[in-house]
Amino acid sequence: MSISPSAPDGLTWRKSSRSGGGAQCVELANLPVGAAVRDSKSPDSGHLVLAPAAFDQFRGWAKQR
């Protein structure tokens, strides 16, 4: 897991399907290995890069909310 202040060029960000169009959601981008996660309200504030296993854990946690 790492935190990066700027996203690599060419990432396609998408909002969570569970966001319901609300203002409080995260955006995801697929990476060659793992995923990047950022706050949709503040996309320029950086993003979190998760390895596949860490992303699976994050996704499982989010589904329980």
Side-chain angles (χ1 to χ4, degrees):
M1 173 174 64
S2 65
I3 297 174
S4 177
S6 61
D9 291 335
L11 286 183
T12 301
W13 293 96
R14 65 188 188 283
K15 286 190 179 181
S16 168
S17 61
R18 301 186 132 217
S19 70
Q24 305 256 342
C25 56
V26 297
E27 293 178 324
L28 305 171
N30 291 331
L31 298 173
V33 177
V37 181
R38 71 180 182 183
D39 183 346
S40 65
K41 296 180 307 298
S42 186
D44 295 328
S45 65
H47 63 279
L48 183 65
V49 175
L50 300 170
F55 181 70
D56 287 342
Q57 288 179 339
F58 172 76
R59 184 175 42 203
W61 173 84
K63 284 182 178 182
Q64 295 175 359
R65 303 294 174 248

